[in-house]
Amino acid sequence: MELFECSAADLARAVREGAHSVAEIVEVHLGRMDRLEPVLSAIVTPLKDEARARAAALDIALARGENPGPLTGVPVIVKDNFCTRRIRTTCSSRMLENWIPPYDATVVSYLERAGAVLIGKANMDEFAMGSSTEHSAFFTTSNPWDPSRVPGGSSGGSAASCAAGYAPLTFGSDTGGSIRQPAAFCGIYGFKPTYGMVSRYGVVPFASSLDQIGPFARTLEDLLLAMEVIAEADEKDATCSRALRPDFRKALDVTDLKGKRVGLVREFEGYDIDGPIVDALARARAALLDAGATVVDVSLPTVSHGLACYYIIAPAEASSNLARFDGVRYGLSAEADSLIDLYHRTRKAGFGPEVKRRLLTGTYVLSSGYYDAYYNKALKVVAILRDEFARAFGEADVILAPTTPTLPFRKGENIGDPIKMYMSDLFTLPANMAGLPALSLNGGYSDGLPVGIQLIGPRWGEMEIFSAAAVLEKALGAPRLAGGDL
Amino acid sequence: MAVGEKEVRHVAQLARLEVDDGEVAALVEHFNTILGHFERLKEVDTSSVADVLDNAVVTPWRDDEVRIWENRDEALAQAPDRDGDYFRVPQILEEA
Amino acid sequence: MALTFQTVIGLEIHVQLATKSKLFCACSTDYIGARPNSNVCPVCLGQPGSLPVVNGRAVELAVMVGLALGSTVQQATRFHRKNYFYPDLSKDYQISQYDLPICAGGRLSFRDDDGVEVSVAITRAHLEEDAGKLVHPSADGRLAGARYSLVDYNRSGVPLLEIVSEPDITSPAHARRYTEEIRRLVRCLGVSDGDMESGSLRVDANISQKVSDGRWGSRVEIKNMNSLRSLERALEYEVKRQRKVLGEGGEIRQETRHWDDGEGKTRPMRGKEEAHDYRYFPDPDLPPLIVESDRLKGIAAVMPELPWQAESRLVSAYGLSDDDAKIFAESADTVAYLDGCIRAGADPKRAANWIRTEVLRVLNEQKIDLATFTLEASDLASLLALVDGGKLSTTAAKDVFDVMVRDGVALEPAMTASGVTAGLVEGSQLEDIADKILAENEEAVEAVRSGRDPKGKKVKFLQGLIMRETRGQADVAQVEDLLRRRLI
Ligand SMILES: [Zn+2]
C-alpha cells in the first residue's frame, strides 16, 4: 500500500511509532500531487517548500520526543478562501490573485497546532459561488473519476485532491452544498457541521449566516479525527458556540441503530433524481434497517422554496461581504484618477461573471423598496423551514436524502445556464438554511462514477449522523481512492 | 415586476460595479428569470412568523482589554497604493 | 401681513465611548497622536475573513446613558450593516443599529439661558462603530482640490453612541444648551470625555423653518461644528439664511451643508447629491445582543449621581446658589471633592467658595484634574476648620493652602513652612510686631506724633502694615488700641 493511499489516522500512527518520517510522508503526497495535477488542476498554490520545511521541523520535534498533536505529519489541503499568513489566498479570483493575508484563519491555526502539514491551497469557484469550479478565475478542476466531468463545487479542488490522494484530509466551506456536492461528485466524505460548530474566523465569507467550514476524508475515522481538531470554540467568532463538543470518534464504535428512526423526506420524492442515486439510497436504507433502525416519513412542506430563499439570502449577504474589495487596502486595484473610478474599475476587472451576477442580485434584493418583498420574506420562509425541520426531527433522528439530483455533470454542461447550475444545490441547501449538520457519503458507483447520498441531522446532532455513517461504512465499504488510472 | 436596463444600471451603481452596455441585456434577462423564481415565495403564508429576534444564539460580550496586533506591517505591505503609514486613494471628488 | 417663522431643530450627537478597546476588536481606542495605521488589526482593517466581537463595556456605557436619559433599555437588540462605499470605512459598510437601538425614547430637561425650563424628547441612542480618518493633502487641508487622500484606520471601530433628539429644539441657543447638557451628562457618567474640539463629541443638526403662511421649508443637515460656539453660530446663520430664502418666496433645498467657522457661513457639501440607499440588513456575523435583567440591575446600581440630581442636591442640602451648583455639577469629581470636604467637617458654603476659587484656579494653572490633585478633600477641610474657628485668617489660610499644594504636605508642616501659627496674634507677640513696624516707619510715626495726620491716613497705613505682617491674624480693634497707645 502506497503512503498516499493511507488514511490520516494511519499516517499519524506511523509517524508516532517512528515507522515513517514526516518528510517521507510529505514527499510521497507532493509526488502524487505532481503526477496528477496536470490532469486534475485541483491546486491554486502548491506549498512544496513550506511543507518540506514544516516536515523537517516536525521530524526534529519528534526526534526530541515531542508529540505535537493528533494530526502530526498528516498532509492537509485547504480551500483557497482560508486565510494563510504569508501564503497567498486567492479565493480563485483575479481580485485576490496576489493577496498575501497578514493572519491565519482559526481553523488553519488549529490544524497547525495539531501537527498537520499544509501542502496546498485548493481551487474553488470564485468566492465560493458555484457548483463546479468552472467559475474559478484561473482554471477548472477535473473530476478524478472522469476528467471530462466537473468535481463539483465550490470546494471542488479540496474534494478532488482528497479523492485522488494528494492528502487524506482536505477542508472546504459549505454555504449551500459547497462541501457535500463535490464530496458526492468525487466519491468521498464531505461534512458540513452545525452552524456555530466550527469557527469561521479567517475564512473569506460568501454568506455569513450560511457558511460553515468542514472536512473531506476518505474514511469516517479520518473525518471524525478532523472534526475533533477543527470543532473548537473560538472567541474571535461571535457565531461560534462556546459549548463543549462531543467526542466524535465514539461514533466509530456504533454497530447497531436499534431504536433509531431514519427519516425520508416526502417532498424530495417528487423530484427528478438520477437512477443510480435512487438505487444508492435504497441500498443505504436497507443497510440502516439491517442495523435495527426504523424508517419513517417526514414532511418539509416548505422545502421547495429553499432554492429561492437561498438565492436571495446568500447574494444579499455576499453583496455586503464583498463590498470591501474596492482597491484601497488589498488585492487588485485598477488605475484611476478618482475614487469612484477606482471602485468601478477595480470591481469590474476583479470579479468574474457569476460573482457579478450574484452581487447585483444581492444589491437589488436589499435595495430600498425591495427589502421586505425579498430579503425579509426569505428570512421568514426560512424560519418556517426551520420549524418544519424541528418537527421532522421530533419524528426522526436522522434524515436520509440525496446529496445531488444528478451524477457529476460534464464540464460546460451547465455553465451557460445559471439557474440549472443552481438546481444542483437543491438537496444540500436546506441544511444551510436551517443551520443543520449534514454529511455526504459515498453510496456506491455507477459506470465508474461515484454516487453520493446525504445524512442530515438535527442542530448539534452530529453524533446521530456519525452513528448512522459508521453503520453504512461497515455495510457499504469506505470510499475508494480515485485517479488510479490517470 | 419586470426589471429593465435602468434598474440594472442603478443596482450596478449601488454595487460600484461597472457594467458594459453589452452585459446589460444579459443581466436584465437574468434578473427577470431569477426574480420570477422568487415570485413563488409569495405563495408562502408567513403571517405567523413574528418579527422577533431568534435568541437561540446570543452575542458574547468581550472584556474591554487591549491587545496589540503584531502583523500590521504585513497588512500595510498589501496596500495597492501607500504614502508612508497611510493608505492612499485617488481624489474623492470629481473635478467640479 | 409680515411672515413669521418658527425654527425646528433636531440634533444627532455622536459620543465616543471611553472604552480601552474598540467596539468590535481588541485594538486600542487611543488614536490621538498615534502613528497612522498602528492601532489596527484584521477586524478594524476590514481584512477578508475577519469577524467582529462586541466589547461588553461599550454596551454597559451605552446602557448608562440610556438609564440617565430615561430611555427604555431594550433587552434584546441587534446590529445592522449600513452599506455604502467610502475609503474611511474599512469594510465598505458600517456596523450600526437600525430597527432595535439599545436605548429607545427618553427625555432631557434643562434650563435655558433665561432660566426657563426646556424639555427635549430623545428618539433613540444606538451603538455604532466610528470610521477611520481621511487626510486631504490639499493646500487648505480640505477635500476639494486634493488630488488624492490618505487613510488612517486608527479610529476605525472606536465605539460611538449616537444620541438622536426629536425635532423639539426651537432655537440655536437651545441647541447649544442641549448639547452642553449631553456633554455634562456623558462626562459625569464617565462614558466619554465629551471633547468637541478633538471629536469625542460630534454634533450634526437638522434644521428647518415653519412659516406662518403654512409652508414648511425643507430640512437641511449641518455638519462640521467643532465647538458649542460654532454650533450656535452655524445654526444662527442657517436660521437667517433659510428665513431670507423663504421670505423671498424661494425654496430651501434639502441638502447637507458644511459649516465654515473661519468664514462664518454654511456651504452646500460638494459632490453629487446621490440619494442614499444604505441597504440595511441584520449583520449575520453578530447574533442578537441581549442585556440580561441582572446585568441591567448591576449597571443601574453603580450609576453615579446625575448632573441635574447633583445640582439640585447641592442647592437643597448645602444651600449653594444655583450658579455655584451648576459649576460643581459640571463634573462628578468636583462634586465628590466638595462632598468630601463637607463630610470632613467643612462649612458647605466656605468649602464651595474655596473649591470654586482656589482649587479650580490651581487645576487650571497646572492643567491637571482632581484625580491628580495632591490636596485631599479632608486636608482642605482641616485648613478651613481653622478659618472657621477664627484661628486662621483667610489670607494666612491661602498662604498655607499654596504651600500644601506646592509641596504636597499636610497642614502642620505647611503652616510651619509659611511661618503661620494658628490663633490670634496678640499680647507681646502683637506688641513686638507693632514695635518692629513702627521702628521701620519712623517718618510716618513722627508725622502722627506731630499732628500732621489729621485724616488718620498714616495711622491706617501703619495699621495695614501690622495686619499684613500678622497675615490678618490680629484683631483689628486690638491693633488700633495698641497704635493709639504707642503713638501718643
Ligand atoms: Zn482592530
Side-chain angles (χ1 to χ4, degrees):
Chain A
M1 195 167 166
E2 302 272 4
L3 280 177
F4 63 76
E5 295 175 86
C6 292
S7 70
D10 286 342
L11 293 174
R13 200 171 303 123
V15 166
R16 257 198 312 278
E17 289 167 0
H20 294 285
S21 69
V22 179
E24 193 183 348
I25 290 169
V26 165
E27 215 49 56
V28 167
H29 285 87
L30 291 176
R32 176 76 175 169
M33 187 196 290
D34 268 349
R35 199 158 69 76
L36 294 185
E37 196 50 11
V39 182
L40 296 185
S41 305
I43 303 298
V44 173
T45 308
L47 300 170
K48 292 184 184 176
D49 294 344
E50 294 85 348
R52 286 180 180 128
R54 167 103 169 120
L58 284 168
D59 280 328
I60 290 168
L62 286 158
R64 279 200 303 260
E66 291 169 26
N67 178 9
L71 292 179
T72 297
V74 175
V76 298
I77 291 167
V78 298
K79 189 177 182 176
D80 209 18
N81 60 347
F82 288 41
C83 286
T84 43
R85 185 175 172 204
R86 299 199 183 105
I87 295 169
R88 78 170 182 153
T89 297
T90 68
C91 296
S92 288
S93 177
R94 294 283 168 221
M95 186 63 88
L96 292 179
E97 191 166 2
N98 299 305
W99 181 51
I100 299 176
Y103 77 113
D104 276 325
T106 294
V107 169
V108 169
S109 57
Y110 286 173
L111 286 169
E112 176 128 334
R113 196 175 66 186
V117 182
L118 185 65
I119 65 167
K121 306 281 307 276
N123 194 29
M124 56 191 280
D125 286 292
E126 183 179 4
F127 285 107
M129 297 178 190
S131 309
S132 67
T133 73
E134 290 168 291
H135 293 307
S136 164
F138 308 133
F139 42 74
T140 298
T141 298
S142 301
N143 190 311
W145 294 97
D146 175 355
S148 72
R149 293 175 190 270
V150 301
S154 63
S155 314
S158 301
S161 58
C162 177
Y166 293 11
L169 284 178
T170 65
F171 297 84
S173 61
D174 188 317
T175 308
S178 280
I179 291 174
R180 289 159 290 153
Q181 184 255 20
F185 280 14
C186 292
I188 54 173
Y189 288 104
F191 183 60
K192 182 203 93 75
T194 301
Y195 188 81
M197 175 64 82
V198 178
S199 168
R200 296 184 294 113
Y201 187 80
V203 177
V204 181
F206 165 12
S208 314
S209 71
L210 307 171
D211 295 347
Q212 258 306 280
I213 280 68
F216 294 92
R218 297 190 306 270
T219 70
L220 185 63
E221 184 183 12
D222 281 4
L223 190 85
L224 304 191
L225 183 60
M227 280 301 291
E228 298 217 321
V229 169
I230 64 168
E232 284 282 334
D234 178 16
E235 60 181 24
K236 295 199 190 86
D237 177 357
T239 63
C240 185
S241 166
R242 269 148 295 279
L244 270 181
R245 272 65 173 171
D247 182 356
F248 297 116
R249 276 186 292 178
K250 280 229 171 82
L252 296 171
D253 303 331
V254 173
T255 52
D256 77 79
L257 297 173
K258 288 200 185 72
K260 294 293 182 189
R261 301 156 302 169
V262 176
L264 300 175
V265 180
R266 207 172 296 145
E267 288 76 10
F268 284 169
E269 275 155 33
Y271 287 99
D272 190 13
I273 299 166
D274 281 3
I277 298 173
V278 176
D279 297 345
L281 285 168
R283 282 196 298 275
R285 181 174 181 270
L288 295 167
L289 285 170
D290 273 356
T294 51
V295 170
V296 296
D297 264 5
V298 295
S299 179
L300 302 171
T302 307
V303 80
S304 69
H305 295 286
L307 200 64
C309 293
Y310 177 77
Y311 280 95
I312 290 170
I313 294 170
E317 292 182 11
S319 72
S320 174
N321 284 335
L322 273 63
R324 68 188 67 190
F325 299 108
D326 60 8
V328 175
R329 291 161 298 277
Y330 35 71
L332 189 79
S333 185
E335 282 292 319
D337 295 332
S338 70
L339 183 69
I340 190 77
D341 284 350
L342 176 72
Y343 287 159
H344 278 284
R345 288 181 194 162
T346 297
R347 293 164 66 76
K348 178 189 169 70
F351 294 136
E354 181 61 20
V355 173
K356 285 179 185 167
R357 268 194 290 276
R358 298 206 199 186
L359 294 186
L360 293 174
T361 318
T363 303
Y364 180 80
V365 297
L366 288 176
S367 65
S368 175
Y370 299 112
Y371 179 85
D372 283 324
Y374 295 120
Y375 191 78
N376 206 24
K377 179 76 180 180
L379 288 183
K380 288 182 172 182
V381 175
V382 166
I384 291 175
L385 183 61
R386 280 177 188 229
D387 285 349
E388 290 173 2
F389 264 114
R391 262 198 303 281
F393 282 113
E395 293 155 17
D397 299 296
V398 67
I399 287 173
L400 176 66
T403 307
T404 58
T406 68
L407 295 185
F409 46 87
R410 292 190 185 279
K411 291 178 185 168
E413 195 178 324
N414 291 337
I415 192 80
D417 186 348
I419 307 291
K420 199 170 166 211
M421 187 78 94
Y422 297 171
M423 294 298 278
S424 63
D425 298 333
L426 202 62
F427 299 118
T428 46
L429 54 83
N432 299 81
M433 310 259 228
L436 307 177
L439 173 70
S440 182
L441 54 104
N442 183 258
Y445 300 85
S446 168
D447 287 336
L449 290 178
V451 184
I453 55 173
Q454 187 179 202
L455 293 170
I456 305 171
R459 246 171 117 73
W460 310 111
E462 265 75 1
M463 293 307 275
E464 297 291 349
I465 293 175
F466 296 153
S467 300
V471 164
L472 289 175
E473 185 170 88
K474 280 166 200 134
L476 307 174
R480 295 181 212 148
L481 188 72
D485 52 351
L486 294 176
Chain B
M1 64 203 84
V3 167
E5 270 199 26
K6 188 169 152 262
E7 286 81 7
V8 167
R9 287 189 193 281
H10 172 67
V11 166
Q13 173 63 28
L14 276 179
R16 298 291 186 269
L17 190 50
E18 189 178 310
V19 289
D20 293 335
D21 294 349
E23 293 172 290
V24 172
L27 283 167
V28 167
E29 195 192 324
H30 177 74
F31 259 83
N32 285 309
T33 310
I34 199 157
L35 294 177
H37 284 274
F38 297 167
E39 284 302 295
R40 276 199 52 223
L41 284 183
K42 285 190 180 147
E43 296 165 14
V44 187
D45 177 8
T46 50
S47 57
S48 63
V49 182
D51 219 356
V52 292
L53 296 180
D54 174 11
N55 292 353
V57 182
V58 302
T59 210
W61 292 31
R62 177 173 55 79
D63 289 339
D64 184 25
E65 282 162 11
V66 173
R67 256 184 258 165
I68 293 165
W69 187 54
E70 308 288 351
N71 310 351
R72 161 270 182 200
D73 288 346
E74 290 175 40
L76 229 59
Q78 293 299 307
D81 191 7
R82 255 175 88 172
D83 185 342
D85 287 325
Y86 290 101
F87 295 89
R88 198 166 94 147
V89 295
Q91 64 177 335
I92 292 176
L93 293 177
E94 318 268 344
E95 293 292 340
Chain C
M1 206 176 89
L3 293 173
T4 57
F5 298 90
Q6 209 178 310
T7 298
V8 179
I9 300 171
L11 295 181
E12 291 168 11
I13 300 188
H14 286 85
V15 178
Q16 276 184 348
L17 297 176
T19 54
K20 294 198 275 289
S21 64
K22 293 183 179 179
L23 184 52
F24 296 116
C25 63
C27 292
S28 168
T29 52
D30 189 8
Y31 62 85
I32 303 224
R35 182 179 170 191
N37 292 303
S38 58
N39 295 346
V40 291
C41 75
V43 178
C44 54
L45 274 180
Q47 296 287 305
S50 64
L51 297 171
V53 183
V54 173
N55 181 345
R57 183 64 186 153
V59 179
E60 287 175 358
L61 297 182
V63 167
M64 286 171 76
V65 173
L67 290 174
L69 292 173
S71 309
T72 305
V73 174
Q74 309 210 79
Q75 304 220 345
T77 72
R78 60 178 165 186
F79 290 97
H80 268 63
R81 291 186 186 176
K82 180 180 183 180
N83 294 285
Y84 64 98
F85 285 84
Y86 210 63
D88 62 4
L89 274 188
S90 62
K91 304 180 292 296
D92 287 301
Y93 62 80
Q94 179 195 30
I95 306 178
S96 181
Q97 296 194 289
Y98 184 56
D99 57 353
L100 295 170
I102 181 124
C103 309
R107 184 161 286 284
L108 185 66
S109 301
F110 52 88
R111 282 181 197 289
D112 71 7
D113 296 339
D114 302 324
V116 177
E117 180 90 8
V118 179
S119 176
V120 174
I122 307 289
T123 314
R124 57 188 278 157
H126 67 255
L127 278 164
E128 63 184 26
E129 54 178 345
D130 208 342
K133 272 193 157 175
L134 292 174
V135 179
H136 308 298
S138 61
D140 57 359
R142 292 219 328 263
L143 184 56
R147 303 297 308 173
Y148 56 86
S149 298
L150 306 175
V151 198
D152 171 11
Y153 292 106
N154 280 343
R155 199 179 66 181
S156 159
V158 167
L160 292 177
L161 186 70
E162 179 175 340
I163 305 167
V164 182
S165 86
E166 290 289 310
D168 281 1
I169 301 166
T170 54
S171 73
H174 283 186
R176 193 234 320 130
R177 280 289 300 123
Y178 169 87
T179 307
E180 272 174 357
E181 285 298 299
I182 291 282
R183 185 177 66 175
R184 188 162 77 136
L185 172 65
V186 297
R187 283 179 175 169
C188 155
L189 292 173
V191 308
S192 175
D193 68 22
D195 187 35
M196 284 183 80
E197 273 76 11
S198 69
S200 308
L201 190 151
R202 309 199 276 272
V203 188
D204 296 336
N206 287 299
I207 175 166
S208 59
Q209 296 293 323
K210 220 171 146 177
V211 195
S212 53
D213 61 6
R215 284 181 297 155
W216 197 323
S218 294
R219 202 177 66 178
V220 174
E221 186 175 7
I222 315 288
K223 287 181 180 290
N224 194 44
M225 299 162 293
N226 298 325
S227 66
L228 289 169
R229 195 175 129 71
S230 64
L231 168 71
E232 194 168 358
R233 282 177 66 209
L235 292 176
E236 278 166 356
Y237 174 86
E238 196 57 23
V239 167
K240 277 198 204 110
R241 186 188 73 86
Q242 293 185 8
R243 288 184 177 179
K244 182 160 184 288
V245 172
L246 291 166
E248 291 164 356
E251 272 193 31
I252 301 293
R253 258 175 63 132
Q254 184 171 345
E255 63 185 352
T256 300
R257 296 175 73 90
H258 193 89
W259 169 247
D260 185 324
D261 212 42
E263 288 189 31
K265 283 180 179 170
T266 65
R267 270 201 299 248
M269 302 266 270
R270 278 190 54 192
K272 272 178 285 194
E273 274 295 318
E274 189 189 340
H276 288 296
D277 185 346
Y278 292 124
R279 287 160 287 133
Y280 278 101
F281 74 104
D283 190 338
D285 291 329
L286 290 164
L289 174 69
I290 308 298
V291 183
E292 282 143 6
S293 52
D294 280 356
R295 184 106 68 161
L296 187 58
K297 280 185 206 137
I299 298 167
V302 298
M303 284 281 283
E305 183 178 44
L306 301 175
W308 44 88
Q309 292 168 342
E311 208 175 308
S312 62
R313 178 172 64 86
L314 297 185
V315 172
S316 63
Y318 297 156
L320 301 198
S321 71
D322 286 349
D323 285 348
D324 273 1
K326 196 178 159 208
I327 290 168
F328 276 90
E330 197 62 41
S331 138
D333 283 351
T334 324
V335 174
Y337 198 83
L338 175 64
D339 287 338
C341 278
I342 294 168
R343 249 197 326 275
D347 171 68
K349 280 188 182 161
R350 192 185 298 281
N353 248 324
W354 269 71
I355 294 169
R356 211 193 54 208
T357 53
E358 301 307 312
V359 176
L360 295 184
R361 171 180 59 82
V362 173
L363 296 183
N364 248 331
E365 284 168 7
Q366 302 190 0
K367 296 192 172 26
I368 55 171
D369 55 27
L370 275 168
T372 45
F373 186 56
T374 48
L375 188 64
E376 297 285 342
S378 56
D379 288 336
L380 178 60
S382 46
L383 175 65
L384 297 186
L386 293 181
V387 180
D388 281 338
K391 299 263 171 56
L392 221 52
S393 70
T394 303
T395 316
K398 281 179 182 169
D399 289 348
V400 176
F401 172 85
D402 284 340
V403 174
M404 289 170 90
V405 169
R406 188 190 66 208
D407 299 346
V409 293
L411 180 57
E412 294 297 332
M415 285 178 61
T416 313
S418 47
V420 170
T421 45
L424 215 52
V425 177
E426 56 190 346
S428 62
Q429 199 189 353
L430 182 61
E431 281 172 18
D432 289 350
I433 288 172
D435 290 344
K436 180 172 153 260
I437 295 293
L438 295 182
E440 286 168 6
N441 294 278
E442 276 178 31
E443 204 181 316
V445 170
E446 199 45 48
V448 176
R449 283 195 176 131
S450 58
R452 281 182 283 121
D453 185 29
K455 289 181 181 164
K457 273 187 180 172
K458 297 268 193 295
V459 177
K460 282 276 183 242
F461 167 68
L462 292 167
Q463 191 181 320
L465 289 177
I466 294 167
M467 287 307 287
R468 191 163 77 194
E469 188 68 17
T470 65
R471 289 184 172 83
Q473 298 239 76
D475 180 64
V476 179
Q478 278 187 34
V479 176
E480 276 174 0
D481 187 48
L482 183 64
L483 275 180
R484 215 166 13 247
R485 280 187 277 121
R486 286 284 198 278
L487 295 175
I488 285 169

